Amino acid sequence: MQYGKVEICGVNTSQLEVLKESEKQELLKIIKTGSPAEKKRARDKMINGNLRLVLSVIQRFSNRGENPDDLFQVGVIGLIKAIDNFDPDLDVRFSTYGVPMIIGEIRRYLRDNNAVRVSRSMRDTAYRAMQVKEQLTTQNNREPSVEEIAKIMEVPKETVVIALEAIVDPVSLYEPVFSDGSDTIYVMDQIGDSNDDATWLEELAFKEAVAGLSDREKRILSLRFFRGKTQMEVASEIGISQAQVSRIEKGALDTIKKNI
């Protein structure tokens, strides 16, 4: 479906306003510090000026058979939450904060309306297991066993297996889900914890650290952790030795750790 040419929720999407980043930041400052009337005008303009952002996100869910109108309305709720909770003092692009909020709202809607209901505690266990798996992979430069994940989580290994099998389409926390050309949003951006502000800053620091790597380092990390290839497979694809892959991978991970 070409969202740029269709009517969604009575909105002609081909005529939607698109705001520049500088305009967004100015509106967000008014929303935070302006008078009640100024805040309302700025908020309405901010919502209307970011509807294309919502459209770009819901395309990711177009193969699930859901009504685009429903997804759009849910996505707008996520957009409004992002606008109301965004802190302009963080000095980050609004899309970096807004896209995960929109995706999270849509995912909650899909989970709550899924014919196969999975308990919240089961989902939380599964996402925690995914997080621990990524952490151990980064620390040890290899994929951990179920036993290792269960030990860190302090739960039986059977609980980990059942939880991971219960959720639909488990993916890497670092799978890219959106990019506007300068900012890339990953699955990990959708998962919060009890210290959301610190988490956001840590995630932003991670992205900045990755951006500072060389093209070869980025490619090796992508092949290893996004596509799940072994060091031998990466070496064969790039045309270098496994020892070189190991050295470059370790150096890249060390660089990321130092810069976070």
Side-chain angles (χ1 to χ4, degrees), residues 216-229:
R216 171 174 278 192
E217 288 173 325
K218 291 177 183 176
R219 185 181 180 193
I220 288 176
L221 292 185
S222 176
L223 291 172
R224 288 279 290 127
F225 301 114
F226 294 166
R227 296 173 58 185
K229 290 182 176 291

Side-chain angles (χ1 to χ4, degrees), residues 1-8 58-59 62 66-69:
M1 178 176 292
Q2 296 181 9
Y3 289 104
K5 298 181 180 179
V6 300
E7 292 281 339
I8 293 184
I58 68 174
Q59 291 183 68
S62 61
E66 296 289 336
N67 187 317
D69 282 1

Side-chain angles (χ1 to χ4, degrees), residues 18-204:
V18 178
L19 297 173
K20 297 179 181 178
E21 183 62 27
S22 58
E23 294 175 317
K24 295 179 186 178
Q25 294 296 332
E26 183 62 29
L27 289 171
L28 290 165
K29 290 178 181 178
I30 295 174
I31 292 171
K32 184 177 181 180
T33 62
S35 67
E38 290 174 332
K39 289 181 178 181
K40 184 180 185 306
R41 287 195 296 269
R43 187 172 182 267
D44 290 344
K45 186 175 179 63
M46 188 68 183
I47 292 171
N48 291 325
N50 282 279
L51 293 180
R52 280 192 178 275
L53 186 66
V54 177
L55 291 172
S56 69
V57 172
I58 68 174
Q59 291 183 68
R60 174 176 171 80
F61 302 91
S62 61
N63 63 345
R64 297 186 177 231
E66 296 289 336
N67 187 317
D69 282 1
D70 293 340
L71 293 182
F72 181 70
Q73 292 181 62
V74 174
V76 172
I77 293 174
L79 170 64
I80 293 172
K81 288 182 178 180
I83 292 172
D84 290 344
N85 291 283
F86 184 79
D87 183 358
D89 295 333
L90 288 178
D91 193 27
V92 298
R93 294 172 63 88
F94 175 72
S95 60
T96 302
Y97 183 87
V99 169
M101 294 284 283
I102 297 170
I103 292 176
E105 197 68 30
I106 293 173
R107 285 193 178 277
R108 279 190 290 274
Y109 167 79
L110 293 174
R111 288 197 299 263
D112 292 343
N113 289 274
N114 196 330
V116 180
R117 302 299 295 273
V118 179
S119 70
R120 180 59 185 267
S121 62
M122 184 71 74
R123 290 196 300 269
D124 288 346
T125 299
Y127 289 128
R128 172 60 178 156
M130 291 166 62
Q131 192 172 41
V132 170
K133 177 181 177 182
E134 295 293 345
Q135 291 172 347
L136 290 176
T137 299
T138 300
Q139 292 172 6
N140 303 323
N141 296 330
R142 63 173 177 79
E143 187 171 313
S145 65
V146 175
E147 288 80 1
E148 290 174 318
I149 297 174
K151 183 177 180 180
I152 294 294
M153 296 177 61
E154 298 182 341
V155 298
K157 65 178 183 180
E158 292 79 11
T159 300
V160 175
V161 174
I162 293 173
L164 291 175
E165 290 181 349
I167 62 173
V168 178
D169 299 329
V171 294
S172 167
L173 290 176
Y174 299 118
E175 178 192 356
V177 295
F178 171 83
S179 177
D180 66 357
S182 58
D183 288 307
T184 301
I185 307 301
Y186 301 90
V187 171
M188 66 182 291
D189 295 323
Q190 305 165 46
I191 303 174
D193 59 21
S194 58
N195 192 2
D196 286 335
D197 290 338
T199 299
W200 277 112
L201 294 175
E202 290 172 0
E203 291 165 1
L204 292 174

